[in-house]
Amino acid sequence: IDERIPVVTTGAGNPGEYIPALKAIGTKVIPVVASVSLAVRLERIGVDAVVAEGLESGGHVGEVTTMALVPQIVDAVKIPVIAMGGIYNWQDALEFFWAGASMIALGTANFIDPLAVDKVYKGLSSFCLEKQLNLKDIVGKVNK
């Protein structure tokens, strides 16, 4: 808070007690969530987005896969949902965008391949160019 960090991502529990102080200084708050109920509670108290993290994520405490969790949270909240867990290539990323994620995040994939983010970006870009699509055209289309 003293440093006025512009964006804070929290994990491993409910950051509810810290959110009012962070929001008071204009910080964007993006907690990692493992359940729909926590995502809904945190949206009510003012978080800016949530990271839906499934059991594939390193150090994860939940029992649901990311692919099962993301569409459930997307349907339950109005804030952006970031998918994290089990994303290793552009095809994985595309599936999460189809499921409604506004963004994706890679963690372990970067340890396996330091160029993972670049490869995901280039793969998604090539797919969109070939299909004459924008990522905004893809988000959530699996449910439509």
Side-chain angles (χ1 to χ4, degrees):
I1 290 173
D2 291 342
E3 298 295 328
R4 304 182 79 75
I5 303 298
V7 179
V8 171
T9 302
T10 65
N14 184 341
E17 67 182 275
Y18 306 104
I19 292 173
L22 290 166
K23 297 303 289 178
I25 62 165
T27 297
K28 301 286 184 196
V29 181
I30 307 172
V32 176
V33 297
S35 70
V36 173
S37 59
L38 183 56
V40 169
R41 261 193 325 261
L42 293 173
E43 179 184 41
R44 273 192 235 125
I45 58 175
V47 300
D48 298 283
V50 292
V51 178
E53 186 177 84
L55 61 84
E56 305 92 337
S57 292
H60 184 66
V61 296
E63 299 174 359
V64 179
T65 65
T66 308
M67 187 49 77
L69 186 62
V70 166
Q72 291 177 47
I73 292 177
V74 166
D75 287 346
V77 300
K78 292 179 176 42
I79 56 177
V81 176
I82 303 165
M84 186 169 194
I87 303 169
Y88 293 95
N89 55 50
W90 72 267
Q91 294 93 334
D92 294 337
L94 182 61
E95 289 178 4
F96 284 104
F97 286 122
W98 274 332
S102 299
M103 294 173 260
I104 54 131
L106 277 67
T108 304
N110 292 299
F111 292 108
I112 295 168
D113 181 356
L115 299 176
V117 170
D118 188 55
K119 290 176 181 177
V120 167
Y121 174 77
K122 286 178 179 173
L124 284 171
S125 295
S126 293
F127 174 84
C128 287
L129 187 62
E130 177 186 323
K131 304 292 183 187
Q132 298 181 344
L133 295 169
N134 184 303
L135 272 181
K136 290 186 291 185
D137 300 326
I138 295 169
V139 171
K141 296 305 181 201
V142 79
N143 293 326
K144 308 271 186 281

